[in-house]
Amino acid sequence: GENVEQHPSTLSVQEGDSAVIKCTYSDSASNYFPWYKQELGKRPQLIIDIRSNVGEKKDQRIAVTLNKTAKHFSLHITETQPEDSAVYFCAARSYNYGQNFVFGPGTRLSVLP
Amino acid sequence: NAGVMQNPRHLVRRRGQEARLRCSPMKGHSHVYWYRQLPEEGLKFMVYLQKENIIDESGMPKERFSAEFPKEGPSILRIQQVVRGDSAAYFCASSPSPGQYFEQYFGPGTRLTVT
């Protein structure tokens, strides 16, 4: 089945700097890769996603890149702000296997003022 | 503009009791996923359902856990004879009709505490 790894587990950056979180997946049939942000005690919220037929997607300060050959995808946050502090989860979904989402273990991002 | 609804938000049960968690998907969504999240950990897939049909239950423990999504009413995750290790946040997510790239949206979660 699918296995998703995520690094780093914790990340501290200064306000205004960039943050990068990386994920790898194992199932080459995975074709949809969402990223979720979860603040303490709250629900995971979808912040950006990418499909396997696209290499990069950007939404204001957030971007995601996908390398299908290497089976890894990354979240990039530029000009970080204190409100970006949260736990970020990547996920992968293979339409051909189980049809469920497999999540990475999460990255706790702290943006220091 | 109702999103995914879950109730109760907090549930306390004693060991051996039953826990029933409810999830009402977003309007127009016919697919429901249930996840478990232990403190300081990630989201663990449990089960994926469509109306009146279990699509994938590969993440469900073999005993004590069951899920349903009837034609009418919310999806229900049932945990029988709860144990302390069942204490966790249980999230459901819903997505629209079939398609390869559909998004899923999460409910606020039910925090189960087993005493």
Side-chain angles (χ1 to χ4, degrees):
Chain A
E2 176 65 279
N3 181 51
V4 177
E5 297 185 353
Q6 185 172 346
H7 299 279
S9 57
T10 60
L11 178 60
S12 293
V13 299
Q14 290 293 137
E15 183 177 356
D17 287 349
S18 295
V20 180
I21 302 170
K22 299 181 179 180
C23 288
T24 61
Y25 60 99
S26 59
D27 184 3
S28 57
S30 289
N31 57 13
Y32 174 65
F33 307 92
W35 285 88
Y36 288 85
K37 174 184 180 183
Q38 187 177 30
E39 297 175 7
L40 187 63
K42 297 191 176 180
R43 74 186 79 189
Q45 290 195 304
L46 179 69
I47 56 171
I48 196 167
D49 56 14
I50 192 166
R51 304 176 181 183
S52 58
N53 58 349
V54 175
E56 183 175 356
K57 183 177 178 180
K58 189 173 181 180
D59 183 4
Q60 298 183 352
R61 297 186 296 109
I62 296 173
V64 57
T65 59
L66 171 64
N67 183 327
K68 285 176 58 180
T69 302
K71 288 189 283 188
H72 67 69
F73 55 113
S74 299
L75 177 71
H76 304 253
I77 306 174
T78 58
E79 301 173 16
T80 54
Q81 301 168 3
E83 51 265 37
D84 294 330
S85 296
V87 178
Y88 291 81
F89 294 99
C90 63
R93 179 180 182 268
S94 171
Y95 189 72
N96 296 319
Y97 182 81
Q99 301 189 50
N100 67 71
F101 290 81
V102 177
F103 281 77
T107 296
R108 182 174 299 280
L109 173 64
S110 299
V111 180
L112 308 174
Chain B
N1 189 25
V4 180
M5 307 290 285
Q6 287 187 252
N7 67 82
R9 296 291 305 277
H10 300 273
L11 182 61
V12 179
R13 284 288 178 265
R14 293 181 178 173
R15 281 180 297 171
Q17 291 185 320
E18 178 179 284
R20 280 197 177 204
L21 288 62
R22 296 175 183 76
C23 171
S24 296
M26 287 179 69
K27 186 176 181 180
H29 286 194
S30 58
H31 298 236
V32 167
Y33 298 78
W34 284 94
Y35 296 87
R36 177 164 62 180
Q37 187 175 39
L38 295 171
E40 302 296 319
E41 294 192 11
L43 293 153
K44 178 87 178 301
F45 166 79
M46 300 182 74
V47 62
Y48 165 33
L49 310 104
Q50 293 179 14
K51 288 276 188 183
E52 300 183 283
N53 197 16
I54 296 175
I55 304 300
D56 182 351
E57 57 182 347
S58 59
M60 286 278 272
K62 293 289 187 278
E63 297 177 351
R64 302 188 299 108
F65 286 73
S66 63
E68 63 177 4
F69 190 13
K71 186 177 180 180
E72 300 291 337
S75 174
I76 295 175
L77 178 67
R78 180 189 301 175
I79 311 173
Q80 296 178 303
Q81 298 176 324
V82 296
V83 300
R84 288 224 172 103
D86 296 332
S87 296
Y90 292 83
F91 289 95
C92 78
S94 74
S95 64
S97 296
Q100 287 193 28
Y101 304 120
F102 50 78
E103 305 162 354
Q104 56 174 344
Y105 297 91
F106 282 83
T110 293
R111 280 151 184 82
L112 172 66
T113 302
V114 179
T115 62

